[in-house]
């Protein structure tokens, strides 16, 4: 949950410790409203390398830089276009990452050699407090091993890295899936937006925020129809046991006899478990990663996700995208 109450002494102590560790060049578990991040200061390349080594993340996958104000974001870019200002005013702090041309303060290590940087101003008050007290931005990917399920609770991070990463407990993440990522290319008369990763802030909201504040022509590339973020590899978000992504109609035909599924997949699963998500996408997203982890901890050998005709709309698209990438089998 987003923490808007006064911070307890215990939390203040944890925040101070996190800031101290970051200053020393360590990585920490950072609560955000989307998922927990594995954070390091952007000015220390050794600290940034620790992010990659802790996660086993390949260096070709760039990191998002997190700030604690719009002013701080402006210091990291080559130029701050009108569209970035409009969208920052509309959605920051919040789960929108904007990819913009970077300047020299952002190292090639962070951007994997790209000339652009992903910028995000998180809403979670503990993340903001840590970055503000630190006095500089942090780079933070999701705090999971590369390709695995993202963490939405502090304990997920602790378990993922065998208690080796100090993690501030900011409670369960309010959104539960990673931020929407858009790339912005703005010229004198056109704003071109490409959605690189779908998230809880959907294209209609972005379009109407822009349309109400600019006279420039807006060109929108929908999710999935264009290049995606380099880290959006086919297999991602995977729990420790296999996932079957199956459509409702196929499930109805096959589930009376699980043998048929095994036959179709040429597998021999014996103890499947169904992943049941709430019908509201907001609640489904919030519980998604916890449920995937819980299913894996049980003695089941397969997680079955049945995609129903009611799971439509862009918020569901964002959730289904994670589930497709998390799955080993798809029918
Ligand atoms: O909600 C979030 O965005 C979370 C929290 C911790 O803030 N962070 C997160 O980071 O999801 P990560 O590294 O797990 O995913 C970031 C994605 C990757 O797929 C990466 O390839 C892409 O963003 N990305 C980062 N910088 C980029 C850039 N300059 N151009 C295109 N894609 C970029
Ligand atoms: Mg990630």
């Amino acid at each position: 949950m987003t923490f808007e109450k006064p911070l307890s002494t215990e939390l203040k102590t944890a925040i101070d410790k996190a800031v101290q560790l970051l200053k020393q060049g360590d990585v920490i578990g950072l609560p955000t409203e989307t998922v927990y991040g594995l954070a390091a200061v952007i000015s220390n390349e050794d600290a940034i390398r620790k992010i990659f080594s802790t996660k086993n993340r390949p260096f070709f996958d760039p990191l998002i830089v997190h700030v604690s104000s719009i002013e701080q974001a402006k210091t990291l870019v080559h130029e701050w276009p009108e569209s970035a200002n409009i969208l920052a005013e509309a959605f920051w702090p919040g789960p929108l990452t904007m990819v913009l041309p970077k300047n020299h303060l952002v190292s090639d290590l962070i951007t994997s050699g790209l000339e652009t940087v992903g910028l995000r101003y998180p809403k979670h008050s503990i993340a903001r407090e840590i970055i503000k007290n630190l006095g500089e931005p942090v780079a933070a990917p999701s705090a999971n091993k590369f390709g695995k399920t993202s963490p939405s609770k502090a304990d997920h991070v602790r378990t993922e890295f065998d208690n080796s990463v100090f993690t501030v407990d900011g409670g369960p993440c309010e959104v539960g899936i990673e931020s929407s990522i858009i790339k912005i290319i703005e010229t004198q008369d056109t704003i071109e937006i490409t959605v690189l990763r779908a998230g809880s802030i959907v294209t209609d909201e972005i379009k109407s925020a822009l349309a109400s504040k600019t006279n420039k022509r807006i060109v929108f590339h929908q999710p999935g129809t264009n290049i995606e973020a380099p880290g959006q590899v086919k297999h991602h978000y995977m729990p420790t046991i296999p996932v079957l992504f199956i459509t409702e109609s196929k499930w109805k035909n096959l589930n009376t006899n699980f043998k048929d599924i095994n036959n179709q997949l040429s597998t021999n699963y014996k103890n499947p478990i169904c992943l049941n998500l709430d019908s509201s996408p907001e609640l489904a997203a919030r519980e998604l990663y916890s449920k995937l982890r819980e299913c894996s901890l049980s003695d089941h050998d397969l997680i079955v996700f049945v995609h129903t005709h009611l799971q439509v709309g862009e918020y569901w698209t964002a959730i289904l995208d994670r589930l497709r990438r998390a799955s080993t089998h798809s029918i």
Side-chain angles (χ1 to χ4, degrees), residues 34 57 61-62 64 66 116 120 141-142 178-179 181 197 230-231:
T34 56
R57 181 175 174 119
D61 191 0
I64 293 175
H66 296 63
T116 53
R120 169 158 139 71
S142 51
E178 301 81 352
S179 59
I181 306 181
R197 181 173 70 189

Side-chain angles (χ1 to χ4, degrees), residues 228-296:
E228 296 183 54
Q232 289 294 89
V233 284
K234 185 163 176 278
H235 288 301
H236 204 158
Y237 314 108
M238 292 179 100
T240 51
I241 62 171
V243 178
L244 165 65
F245 187 108
I246 184 167
T247 58
E248 190 177 28
S249 54
K250 296 204 172 117
W251 177 245
K252 277 183 186 149
N253 289 339
L254 290 170
N255 81 333
T256 43
N257 186 354
F258 195 73
K259 256 193 195 159
D260 291 346
I261 290 186
N262 271 325
N263 283 343
Q264 185 149 344
L265 298 175
S266 306
T267 52
N268 189 23
Y269 295 115
K270 293 188 171 65
N271 195 10
I273 179 170
C274 261
L275 173 69
N276 293 313
L277 295 177
D278 198 279
S279 57
S280 129
E282 285 83 1
L283 295 180
R286 197 177 294 167
E287 66 191 10
L288 176 68
Y289 294 138
S290 281
K291 285 205 165 176
L292 279 175
R293 283 166 186 273
E294 280 160 25
C295 290
S296 313

Side-chain angles (χ1 to χ4, degrees), residues 34-313:
T34 56
V35 297
Y36 277 72
L38 186 70
V41 287
I42 63 161
S43 59
N44 180 339
E45 291 217 335
D46 286 337
I48 298 296
R49 276 196 194 89
K50 266 187 209 165
I51 293 181
F52 286 94
S53 59
T54 308
K55 275 183 65 88
N56 295 334
R57 181 175 174 119
F59 283 107
F60 66 71
D61 191 0
L63 308 175
I64 293 175
V65 173
H66 296 63
V67 295
S68 60
S69 68
I70 296 179
E71 288 314 307
Q72 197 172 46
K74 290 182 188 171
T75 67
L76 304 171
V77 292
H78 183 56
E79 64 183 292
W80 183 251
E82 182 196 8
S83 53
N85 214 42
I86 296 170
L87 296 176
E89 295 285 349
F91 300 109
W92 279 4
L96 177 71
T97 297
M98 293 194 270
V99 173
L100 290 163
K102 77 174 185 86
N103 69 20
H104 67 282
L105 290 179
V106 183
S107 75
D108 287 345
L109 195 57
I110 292 174
T111 66
S112 304
L114 295 174
E115 286 305 312
T116 53
V117 59
L119 293 174
R120 169 158 139 71
Y121 175 5
K123 189 175 161 205
H124 199 301
S125 63
I126 294 177
R128 279 154 50 190
E129 187 77 4
I130 289 175
I131 302 166
K132 190 167 72 115
N133 293 355
L134 184 67
E136 75 162 290
V138 296
S142 51
N144 50 276
K145 294 277 187 185
F146 184 68
K148 298 295 180 192
T149 306
S150 304
S152 54
K153 291 182 179 167
D155 274 347
H156 297 165
V157 185
R158 294 178 181 137
T159 315
E160 189 84 3
F161 303 114
D162 297 327
N163 288 314
S164 64
V165 173
F166 177 75
T167 302
V168 183
D169 192 343
C173 299
E174 191 183 8
V175 178
I177 55 169
E178 301 81 352
S179 59
S180 310
I181 306 181
I182 55 168
K183 182 170 180 173
I184 300 176
I185 298 173
E186 184 170 327
T187 59
Q188 234 170 1
D189 51 12
T190 308
I191 296 166
E192 198 177 335
I193 305 274
T194 306
V195 177
L196 303 181
R197 181 173 70 189
S200 62
I201 294 182
V202 296
T203 45
D204 277 352
E205 292 175 273
I206 298 171
K207 270 184 201 161
S208 50
L210 282 173
S212 65
K213 292 272 166 70
T214 182
N215 293 324
K216 293 191 183 186
R217 192 167 71 96
I218 304 165
V219 181
F220 232 91
H221 302 292
Q222 294 295 335
T225 56
N226 276 275
I227 51 143
E228 296 183 54
Q232 289 294 89
V233 284
K234 185 163 176 278
H235 288 301
H236 204 158
Y237 314 108
M238 292 179 100
T240 51
I241 62 171
V243 178
L244 165 65
F245 187 108
I246 184 167
T247 58
E248 190 177 28
S249 54
K250 296 204 172 117
W251 177 245
K252 277 183 186 149
N253 289 339
L254 290 170
N255 81 333
T256 43
N257 186 354
F258 195 73
K259 256 193 195 159
D260 291 346
I261 290 186
N262 271 325
N263 283 343
Q264 185 149 344
L265 298 175
S266 306
T267 52
N268 189 23
Y269 295 115
K270 293 188 171 65
N271 195 10
I273 179 170
C274 261
L275 173 69
N276 293 313
L277 295 177
D278 198 279
S279 57
S280 129
E282 285 83 1
L283 295 180
R286 197 177 294 167
E287 66 191 10
L288 176 68
Y289 294 138
S290 281
K291 285 205 165 176
L292 279 175
R293 283 166 186 273
E294 280 160 25
C295 290
S296 313
L297 286 177
S298 58
D299 58 358
H300 298 280
D301 57 358
L302 179 71
I303 300 170
V304 178
F305 172 71
V306 184
H307 169 29
T308 78
H309 68 286
L310 297 172
Q311 292 158 340
V312 285

Side-chain angles (χ1 to χ4, degrees), residues 3-20:
F3 216 98
E4 299 295 354
K5 287 184 276 183
L7 300 173
S8 66
T9 318
E10 197 189 342
L11 257 178
K12 277 190 193 149
T13 309
I15 289 171
D16 289 347
K17 183 169 174 186
V19 171
Q20 206 46 47

